[in-house]
Amino acid sequence: ADVQGVVVTGVDERGPSAGRVVTAATGAPDVLVAIEGVAVRTPAELEGAVARLRAGEVVTLRLYNTEARSHRVERVVVR
């Protein structure tokens, strides 16, 4: 599949995405394709989207798993 997004290379083990987002260390990595419905295609777009988030906010992440070849949605609380 031709998926545009940012490959997840790591997750803070104490963070809200721990155990919910797959990295290369825990399996076939997820690709983050959108935050709150806004596409993230590059690390710079990801940084911009994250910079707009506020602690306590519940956000929707759209992910594509490279092994399952399917999209899914995860909702996490920003810390």
Side-chain angles (χ1 to χ4, degrees):
D2 185 25
V3 175
Q4 292 187 346
V6 178
V7 175
V8 179
T9 58
V11 173
D12 182 342
E13 292 303 315
R14 297 175 315 264
S17 296
R20 301 177 81 178
V21 177
V22 182
T23 67
T26 58
D30 282 336
V31 177
L32 180 59
V33 295
I35 297 177
E36 285 299 296
V38 177
V40 288
R41 294 176 296 268
T42 66
E45 288 179 351
L46 174 59
E47 288 175 18
V50 169
R52 291 188 290 277
L53 302 176
R54 300 290 172 246
E57 196 175 352
V58 177
V59 297
T60 302
L61 308 177
R62 184 161 174 79
L63 301 153
Y64 176 83
N65 183 264
T66 56
E67 184 175 30
R69 296 185 182 152
S70 63
H71 287 90
R72 73 177 192 291
V73 172
E74 292 284 349
R75 293 183 52 78
V76 297
V77 178
V78 177
R79 289 189 184 171

